[in-house]
Amino acid sequence: MALMEDLEKLRDDMLSAISQAATSDALEEVRISVLGKKGSLTSVLRGMRDIPPEERPIIGKLSNEVRDRIEEALSQRAKQLKGAELEEKMKAGAIDISLPGRSMPIGTEHLINHIIRECSDIFAGIGYEIEGGREIETDWYNFTALNAPKDHPSRSMQDTFYIVDRSGDVSDVRGESDVLLRTQTSGTQVHVMEEKKPPIYMISPGKVYRHDVADPSHLPQFHQIEGLVVDKGITFGDLKGTLEYFIKAFFGEERKTRFRAHFFPFTEPSAEADVSCGICHGEGCRFCKHTGWVEILGCGMVDPNVFENVGIDPEVYTGFAFGVGVERLACLKYDVPDLRMLLEGDMRFLRQF
Amino acid sequence: MLVSLKWLDSMVKVPDGLQEFCDRLDLTGTGVEGVEKVGANLDGVKIGYVETCVDHPDSDHMHVCTVSFGDGEEPTQIVCGAPNIRAGIKVAVATIGSVLPGDFKIKKSKLRGVVSCGMICSERELNLSNDHEGIMVLPDDAPLGASFAEYRGLSDTVLDLEITPNRPDCLSMKGFAREVGAMYHVPWKYEPPVAVPGPQNDEHVEDFVSVEIADPERCPRYTARVIRNVKIGPSPDWLVERITALGARPINNVVDVTNYILFELGQPLHAFDLNAFSKQDDGKYHVLVKAAEDGTKFTTLDGVERELSSDVTMITDNGSNVALAGVMGGLDSEVTDATTDVLLESATFSTAHTSRTSRNLGLVSEASIRYERGVDASTCNEYSEIAAALIAAVSGGTVCQGVVDAYPLVPEPVELTLRPARLRAHIGADISDEEQFTILRDLGCEVKGASGDETVKVVAPTFRPDLIREIDLYEEVLRIYGMDRIEATLPGGAHAGGRTLDQQRIELISSTLRACGMNETMTYSLVAEDDLEKARIPEEGRGEAVELLNPMSSEQSVLRRSIIPGLLRSVAYNQSRGVANVQLFERGVVFGTAEGRKTPKERTLVAGVMTGSFNLPGWNQGAVEIDFFDAKGVVENLLRELATPKLRFKALEADEAPWLQPGRAAEVLSGGTVLGWIGEIHPLVAQEFDVEGAVAAFEFDMRALLSTAQEQRPYVDVPTLPGMEMDLALVVDEDVTCERIIQSIESAGRKGPFESVRLFDVYRDEKRVGAGKKSMAFRIAYRAGDRTLTSEEVEKAHDKIVAKVTKATGGEVRS
């Protein structure tokens, strides 16, 4: 039974060779040397035909066992070597993860539009629609329908840009016109009430214009967000609650709100709302002129004259309106030192937001 | 308006605690814009008691004193040279650190070897008079240690208040005292500064003056008084002190009184030199109030000649103009040092005419501010009588008896209905009937009715022209009751909101452009007249420029018709500051108009510019110079997001888009709808705007983008069976476009297993490809939905396409 001994020797030699193979390639060589066409085990098995038939089952069983054993050892060793080689490869592939990434830089949103979107989201969340509006209005929408008829002193509160009226109409006041760049978004109140029936819950962000030379704290064009609610049973308390909700949502839960009586032609009673100063937390500092408060918006209950101008019965419906200066919100949130930066398009400014 | 707290305190108790008072004013609708302490330069001057006083060892006239301030501290040693210094008197002491008038700072010093810690003051040293005979000896009851300025009433606090246009009644000390009384529910009183009537003569004013009002709408009341034998000179100190505190410059005793009464009572007055008027045949001066004649020239008190229109109301004397009613008097009739007889006007003029006159002439005065808000006609005469008495008192003149009072339009008191329950419902607060009535009464209203009545009548005082409707009363009650006391609630009803589809798409447009590396900006809507011309953008389709009637400068005199020029200015702005990579977009309104059009057309555009490269060259990627295709890539992504169908890019000829570089310009269409254009800015335009390098740009019409956008693209099954790809390199003439080849491939493949085609290379080489030719390499994908294709099938289909395409384009397959 020399063949059996041969087989056992072969097995032992091969197992030793397998365990000594240092690389996948060396292991492959071992595999070929034993299992390949000209491999040692193959040639042993080829010698089977010379074995007496009665011995064949025993030799056959043994040779199968040897082959299984070798194959198992090969596969185990292969796995070991692959793992080690992968480790090696990964080690060599380590990088400096502090190097900058590879991407196309994403663009940025303009600060003003960012704030408009943020405010719109807050009001959309409490069931408000968002309305557009024209930037050029007639006197009626910007003033008269808003209860500021001709010669009303409130008109001189706002420096208006007038447009050359190409229809041939002439204004009573020299240098004025029936057509103008809107000085406030409040005209959208009138448009919306003319077009829709109550209940109305809307905001209308947009650009407005004032006859001001651009300087660090003034721009001839800026943005407001108008708000209007018309429904049955709306109270001044609702106005307070809604704006307090907005202010907390925008500035943060810890901020306080106060309302000061004021005058606007299109609301009565009218108020201005202040938010507690975010820098000194109401203690008083230079930023808030030592008052602890910063003014952020004007508001009030819709004046019955405005309702009558658009055919809504003020005995049935009440409502409130408000107007927020977007640049003001931007300055309060980001401390922009010079408003003109908003219109210069300086990439170094724009890419901060 | 400026308010002196010292003056106010003579009418109503000014609350202690300045900060709380200012806060309360703010909350009730009177904005406090400034607080100025007057007399504060005597800070540190205190009332002291001279304990001891001995002769200075080294001087024959100086004394060494010890002074105490009643604060338990050791007495302070002060050297004093005044002859009347002695122990046991109270004096004004400038302590160390105080600064006296003339910027004289008090320091610790040595006088002939003796330490002196302060100075005992004379009246002159405190700028109270010229008396320098000796130090001031104060009464024994002067409070020890107290501030001298406060003790002598030298210190005053002046508030700068923002009086809203609906509150003319608050534009006077008296009216403001009433407001403070209502705010705190405390009594207030008004007493004239002198006895009324003042010294009178025997003459009767009606023998001197007659008044006629041509148009009562313009002038509801005009009263005239005459004060004779006045002596023009400076006003007494108390009067000067009061009017200067409120911002007036003292002029002379007569004019100062008119300012005083204006501040105290809110009645604008005008003092004319009576002798500047011309006497008529009946021996009288005739005042006629009438419209000015168009084109009249008139020189006002400030020395400016002004051209008038008939909208202006004039005070005239015998046909000549003497004053712009309600705004400003004339130079020729002003009170001068030579004036002996004064005609005193106390009148009311129409708010509308005053407002227009003031705006038309650009002339704002203390009088016009009050008249355009409304002056109470019912008190014209009463206040004129006080003024006349005061003029007589300060100028030594006498008042003629009686008054000429033209009063064609007597105001009816306004009676309003108040429903206390509705007020509560409107405000959302439980303010009792009685609280409501009290507030209204404190403000000067008469309330007819009782608690529990469903409605009550409220008579508004004539000085409150803003109280004409029930809602006006709600406002009054709310602001005095306190907005801070109203509970914050939210509206109850259910209502849906949110963004419309178009609004969502506008957000999508912005966010997609940002995702493509574009930075959103904003530029000025106001531009120069030649803005469009400079950019070589034709007017066609954009309308005529919308002109401002009152521009601030020629650089900003019309409204923009394109966003591109503004964006180019921003590119130049960046480049001049060393920022080479610029990618900007703006969505904004442009304007255009035409003859006969009242309101111009507004159109929202989305425009972008890009130059340099999108990224800085990095360690692992290069920076590619921006060109046409970067803009096109941005636009392709944008229109993909909007699911815009039937997208087409059509080359624009030089004459179709003169602002773009010829050969690098395209119109973008969806079917037949023009959406906008893409291109590289013409080098000459770039140069005009001081921009360097290639600038790729686009401009799209928002409406067109929104109207062609689709809600969703049709769903196409994801392939489950394998496909096959074949490449085709085609050598064609330069003028054969990619679009044409692709269309030809698509059309040739329509019936076979063709799936899609993609250009992956363009190659030019004179030797290998040929002059005027290019090689374009396409990868064509084949797939069948129902079976796995065999290579024979694909090859057959491919050959068919190649044959058709070469024929259609005149190209050859590159081997």
Side-chain angles (χ1 to χ4, degrees):
Chain A
M1 295 288 273
L3 194 57
M4 279 179 82
E5 279 159 31
D6 287 352
L7 274 171
E8 277 164 4
K9 184 170 184 301
L10 179 71
R11 181 192 66 200
D12 295 345
D13 290 352
M14 284 304 116
L15 288 180
S16 153
I18 288 167
S19 69
Q20 278 164 31
T23 66
S24 292
D25 290 347
L27 187 66
E28 180 64 10
E29 273 170 32
V30 174
R31 188 187 71 80
I32 292 166
S33 75
V34 55
L35 297 176
K37 279 182 184 169
K38 290 173 185 166
S40 42
L41 183 60
T42 317
S43 52
V44 169
L45 293 177
R46 227 177 256 139
M48 284 284 275
R49 64 179 81 108
D50 305 329
I51 295 170
E54 64 277 13
E55 283 181 27
R56 279 183 194 168
I58 304 164
I59 299 294
K61 190 172 174 253
L62 180 65
S63 60
N64 278 341
E65 277 170 15
V66 169
R67 195 185 58 202
D68 287 351
R69 189 69 202 284
I70 290 173
E71 280 180 342
E72 197 199 326
L74 275 170
S75 114
Q76 261 177 18
R77 184 65 185 153
K79 214 168 157 186
Q80 256 174 21
L81 288 173
K82 282 230 170 76
E85 280 160 9
L86 182 62
E87 282 301 319
E88 213 36 53
K89 197 178 160 195
M90 291 196 296
K91 208 171 159 190
I95 51 160
D96 173 2
I97 53 89
S98 70
L99 284 170
R102 186 186 296 114
S103 71
M104 203 183 81
I106 198 160
T108 49
E109 187 171 29
H110 192 270
L111 176 57
I112 293 302
N113 283 338
H114 177 78
I115 287 174
I116 288 176
R117 195 163 54 85
E118 209 177 324
C119 295
S120 300
D121 286 343
I122 293 170
F123 282 104
I126 51 171
Y128 283 56
E129 291 183 338
I130 300 157
E131 302 283 351
R134 292 178 54 87
E135 293 181 14
I136 294 180
E137 286 283 18
T138 55
D139 183 279
W140 169 259
Y141 286 103
N142 197 68
F143 290 122
T144 308
L146 291 166
N147 200 31
K150 282 217 178 338
D151 309 312
H152 194 280
S154 69
R155 288 193 176 199
S156 51
M157 288 159 76
Q158 303 179 351
D159 295 310
T160 310
F161 274 121
Y162 293 97
I163 298 292
V164 174
D165 187 344
R166 302 285 294 271
S167 71
D169 295 346
V170 179
S171 166
D172 292 344
V173 178
R174 227 182 283 168
E176 295 185 5
S177 159
D178 188 29
V179 198
L180 44 89
L181 281 168
R182 64 175 174 181
T183 59
Q184 50 192 8
T185 43
S186 307
T188 55
Q189 287 185 35
V190 184
H191 287 289
V192 168
M193 285 191 282
E194 280 175 348
E195 286 155 21
K196 298 188 175 176
K197 287 199 164 66
I200 293 169
Y201 290 80
M202 74 95 176
I203 60 160
S204 180
K207 200 175 282 178
V208 300
Y209 298 84
R210 299 269 170 100
H211 200 273
D212 268 329
V213 176
D215 69 24
S217 50
H218 296 88
L219 288 178
Q221 65 185 54
F222 53 99
H223 297 78
Q224 290 184 337
I225 299 173
E226 194 72 18
L228 175 70
V229 166
V230 183
D231 206 342
K232 287 177 181 161
I234 296 293
T235 67
F236 185 81
D238 293 337
L239 161 68
K240 272 187 78 174
T242 301
L243 292 175
E244 278 179 13
Y245 171 82
F246 163 68
I247 287 167
K248 281 184 189 297
F250 186 82
F251 286 105
E253 274 303 314
E254 73 288 357
R255 303 293 278 273
K256 291 189 183 66
T257 311
R258 76 167 183 179
F259 291 81
R260 285 178 288 107
H262 200 66
F263 168 78
F264 300 108
F266 43 96
T267 51
E268 182 148 1
S270 301
E272 280 184 333
D274 298 340
V275 60
S276 56
C277 178
I279 290 176
C280 62
H281 306 288
E283 297 293 312
C285 66
R286 257 179 43 194
F287 184 76
C288 58
K289 293 181 190 143
H290 303 284
T291 60
W293 297 97
V294 249
E295 179 191 329
I296 56 158
L297 56 85
C299 57
M301 301 298 285
V302 178
D303 193 290
N305 285 359
V306 176
F307 277 145
E308 273 156 23
N309 284 335
V310 294
I312 290 177
D313 185 351
E315 286 294 315
V316 179
Y317 289 100
T318 52
F320 62 79
F322 55 89
V324 195
V326 182
E327 277 73 5
R328 178 127 190 98
L329 294 181
C331 287
L332 291 180
K333 235 180 173 176
Y334 294 95
D335 215 3
V336 178
D338 188 335
L339 287 179
R340 291 172 296 187
M341 297 174 94
L342 296 169
L343 291 169
E344 280 160 351
D346 191 323
M347 292 283 287
R348 297 164 300 177
F349 174 76
L350 296 177
R351 291 201 58 81
Q352 293 183 36
F353 305 103
Chain B
M1 188 185 71
L2 299 177
V3 162
S4 147
L5 291 189
K6 200 169 138 191
W7 194 346
L8 184 66
D9 204 48
S10 69
M11 302 186 200
V12 65
K13 169 84 182 73
V14 174
D16 298 328
L18 183 60
Q19 188 57 51
E20 288 73 23
F21 181 45
C22 290
D23 283 348
R24 188 80 199 134
L25 284 169
D26 273 331
L27 292 178
T28 52
T30 309
V32 180
E33 300 198 319
V35 177
E36 201 193 342
K37 298 220 172 179
V38 181
N41 54 352
L42 293 187
D43 271 358
V45 181
K46 296 198 282 191
I47 297 169
Y49 178 74
V50 184
E51 300 261 349
T52 61
C53 178
V54 296
D55 291 346
H56 191 291
D58 273 335
S59 160
D60 56 357
H61 70 279
M62 287 200 278
H63 306 268
V64 180
C65 312
T66 56
V67 179
S68 65
F69 297 99
D71 51 7
E73 298 287 316
E74 280 291 299
T76 308
Q77 176 172 297
I78 297 174
V79 177
C80 178
N84 60 339
I85 183 73
R86 62 183 192 274
I89 55 171
K90 283 188 175 167
V91 291
V93 182
T95 56
I96 301 224
S98 47
V99 181
L100 299 188
D103 207 21
F104 177 35
K105 196 168 180 193
I106 302 299
K107 294 181 209 149
K108 184 173 175 177
S109 60
K110 265 189 183 174
L111 292 164
R112 297 219 182 142
V114 177
V115 173
S116 180
C117 298
M119 186 174 88
I120 298 172
C121 303
S122 69
E123 291 206 351
R124 193 170 77 178
E125 280 152 354
L126 297 180
N127 210 11
L128 299 174
S129 76
N130 274 333
D131 187 355
H132 198 48
E133 288 298 299
I135 50 125
M136 242 184 306
V137 179
L138 303 178
D140 288 343
D141 62 358
L144 206 54
S147 149
F148 174 75
E150 238 165 67
Y151 164 69
R152 281 289 291 263
L154 297 175
S155 61
D156 190 2
T157 301
V158 176
L159 304 183
D160 185 359
L161 302 179
E162 183 201 4
I163 306 295
T164 53
N166 58 327
R167 295 297 304 277
D169 63 301
C170 276
L171 291 171
S172 69
M173 294 302 303
K174 180 185 177 187
F176 189 66
R178 183 191 304 114
E179 172 76 7
V180 173
M183 278 164 57
Y184 291 94
H185 187 51
V186 293
W188 64 280
K189 61 175 193 316
Y190 170 71
E191 279 166 18
V194 290
V196 177
Q200 304 221 346
N201 55 41
D202 295 338
E203 293 161 318
H204 204 283
V205 65
E206 285 177 357
D207 296 332
F208 283 94
V209 180
S210 76
V211 172
E212 190 190 335
I213 296 169
D215 178 2
E217 285 296 331
R218 288 172 180 253
C219 175
R221 190 174 193 184
Y222 194 104
T223 70
R225 279 192 155 79
V226 170
I227 303 102
R228 303 209 63 185
N229 300 319
V230 299
K231 190 169 181 305
I232 302 298
S235 300
D237 290 347
W238 67 268
L239 202 156
V240 170
E241 189 191 308
R242 283 192 166 183
I243 65 167
T244 47
L246 268 61
R249 190 168 50 88
I251 295 168
N252 60 47
N253 46 11
V254 172
V255 174
D256 292 351
V257 168
T258 62
N259 284 328
Y260 179 88
I261 295 296
L262 174 114
F263 290 142
E264 185 166 80
L265 300 168
Q267 172 66 57
L269 301 170
H270 192 70
F272 295 100
D273 184 336
L274 187 64
N275 298 315
F277 283 54
S278 46
K279 218 172 240 182
Q280 300 292 288
D281 297 342
D282 58 1
K284 285 205 253 183
Y285 301 98
H286 288 242
V287 173
L288 172 60
V289 185
K290 67 179 187 72
E293 276 165 38
D294 272 318
T296 315
K297 292 207 164 63
F298 179 67
T299 305
T300 40
L301 265 174
D302 51 8
V304 180
E305 189 185 68
R306 300 167 191 276
E307 189 175 322
L308 311 177
S309 71
S310 59
D311 205 40
V312 178
T313 306
M314 294 302 295
I315 313 300
T316 66
D317 154 51
N318 192 23
S320 66
N321 295 316
V322 291
L324 278 179
V327 181
M328 197 176 269
L331 196 59
D332 296 341
S333 58
E334 77 171 323
V335 171
T336 65
D337 288 352
T339 301
T340 53
D341 300 319
V342 170
L343 171 68
L344 183 68
E345 162 199 298
S346 172
T348 58
F349 301 105
S350 120
T351 54
H353 282 92
T354 312
S355 166
R356 280 202 299 272
T357 300
S358 170
R359 276 190 288 160
N360 271 332
L361 299 178
L363 189 58
V364 177
S365 64
E366 291 284 356
S368 75
I369 288 169
R370 285 165 177 81
Y371 279 126
E372 69 177 15
R373 286 161 172 76
V375 169
D376 185 6
S378 66
T379 42
C380 271
N381 183 32
E382 180 193 330
Y383 293 170
S384 153
E385 193 172 25
I386 297 170
L390 186 54
I391 288 175
V394 299
S395 71
T398 54
V399 184
C400 293
Q401 296 190 15
V403 64
V404 178
D405 188 358
Y407 197 2
L409 226 57
V410 181
E412 290 285 321
V414 180
E415 192 174 87
L416 302 170
T417 301
L418 173 69
R419 293 166 289 176
R422 187 162 192 281
L423 183 149
R424 284 187 284 272
H426 194 82
I427 302 295
D430 193 21
I431 309 172
S432 75
D433 293 9
E434 205 46 54
E435 273 174 293
Q436 298 182 24
F437 302 163
T438 301
I439 289 169
L440 293 171
R441 285 189 184 112
D442 285 348
L443 289 165
C445 294
E446 185 191 343
V447 179
K448 298 178 182 169
S451 281
D453 289 354
E454 199 176 312
T455 64
V456 296
K457 295 287 175 197
V458 176
V459 183
T462 49
F463 53 78
R464 288 298 302 267
D466 58 318
L467 302 186
I468 47 175
R469 302 165 303 165
E470 186 182 10
I471 192 76
D472 303 325
L473 303 177
Y474 295 6
E475 175 167 67
E476 292 306 293
V477 170
L478 172 62
R479 70 181 185 86
I480 298 293
Y481 177 80
M483 290 180 169
D484 47 335
R485 294 168 67 191
I486 311 297
E487 194 197 344
T489 51
L490 283 171
H495 47 92
R499 288 184 173 82
T500 62
L501 185 59
D502 275 356
Q503 287 165 348
Q504 292 170 33
R505 282 187 177 142
I506 291 169
E507 293 295 344
L508 179 66
I509 289 170
S510 285
S511 59
T512 305
L513 290 173
R514 296 201 301 276
C516 292
M518 303 294 290
N519 299 284
E520 192 177 33
T521 189
M522 285 185 185
T523 59
Y524 287 96
S525 303
L526 301 171
V527 297
E529 210 178 342
D530 62 354
D531 194 56
L532 215 51
E533 197 184 319
K534 259 177 77 178
R536 298 166 60 127
I537 300 177
E539 202 170 66
E540 189 199 340
R542 294 181 189 259
E544 291 173 34
V546 178
E547 289 173 73
L548 293 184
L549 205 56
N550 54 336
M552 287 184 301
S553 71
S554 60
E555 285 305 298
Q556 298 197 321
S557 59
V558 302
L559 289 165
R560 65 177 175 188
R561 284 178 281 175
S562 166
I563 297 177
I564 294 294
L567 290 176
L568 288 176
R569 278 187 282 275
S570 290
V571 171
Y573 184 96
N574 277 290
Q575 288 182 339
S576 71
R577 282 159 182 78
V579 181
N581 294 342
V582 185
Q583 312 86 23
L584 299 171
F585 80 97
E586 178 177 0
R587 52 189 163 107
V589 176
V590 298
F591 308 82
T593 191
E595 193 54 48
R597 204 180 162 111
K598 195 176 193 70
T599 39
K601 205 174 158 195
E602 292 182 25
R603 203 154 65 98
T604 302
L605 300 182
V606 192
V609 292
M610 56 200 90
T611 185
S613 62
F614 271 94
N615 55 318
L616 296 167
W619 66 283
N620 56 357
Q621 69 190 119
V624 180
E625 283 287 307
I626 283 173
D627 66 14
F628 177 90
F629 296 105
D630 291 281
K632 188 174 179 191
V634 168
V635 168
E636 282 169 338
N637 273 336
L638 175 66
L639 298 175
R640 193 220 163 263
E641 282 301 282
L642 291 173
T644 310
K646 296 183 196 152
L647 200 55
R648 265 195 314 136
F649 295 89
K650 187 177 143 271
L652 283 169
E653 298 302 322
D655 60 340
E656 290 176 300
W659 67 94
L660 295 175
Q661 180 173 335
R664 293 188 168 220
E667 190 167 58
V668 185
L669 301 101
S670 167
T673 309
V674 176
L675 303 178
W677 54 263
I678 326 173
E680 285 184 31
I681 296 295
H682 197 292
L684 293 176
V685 173
Q687 196 183 327
E688 184 70 36
F689 283 84
D690 298 322
V691 168
E692 283 166 27
V695 180
F698 60 81
E699 191 168 48
F700 284 89
D701 184 280
M702 183 69 89
R703 189 52 29 221
L705 289 180
L706 297 178
S707 66
T708 53
Q710 301 215 325
E711 209 155 341
Q712 59 195 56
R713 275 177 289 268
Y715 168 73
V716 179
D717 280 330
V718 175
T720 50
L721 294 165
M724 227 186 226
E725 289 179 338
M726 301 277 284
D727 288 353
L728 164 64
L730 203 61
V731 176
V732 291
D733 289 345
E734 274 293 354
D735 64 355
V736 177
T737 64
C738 177
E739 185 184 35
R740 193 170 140 206
I741 300 171
I742 285 180
Q743 275 175 359
S744 157
I745 293 171
E746 283 173 345
S747 127
R750 195 169 296 144
K751 279 179 189 156
F754 168 82
E755 186 183 51
S756 64
V757 57
R758 181 173 72 84
L759 173 86
F760 69 89
D761 193 30
V762 181
Y763 176 71
R764 289 181 178 85
D765 186 309
E766 242 178 69
K767 279 188 201 142
R768 293 186 194 148
V769 178
K773 293 195 181 282
K774 60 189 171 182
S775 164
M776 300 180 90
F778 296 90
R779 183 152 295 169
I780 305 174
Y782 297 91
R783 196 191 303 272
D786 54 352
R787 65 190 192 284
T788 302
L789 293 173
T790 63
S791 40
E792 292 74 29
E793 236 181 316
V794 171
E795 272 160 28
K796 205 176 141 199
H798 189 68
D799 289 346
K800 208 170 123 192
I801 287 178
V802 170
K804 282 195 177 174
V805 170
T806 45
K807 197 176 162 202
T809 61
E812 281 172 24
V813 176
R814 189 169 167 236
S815 45

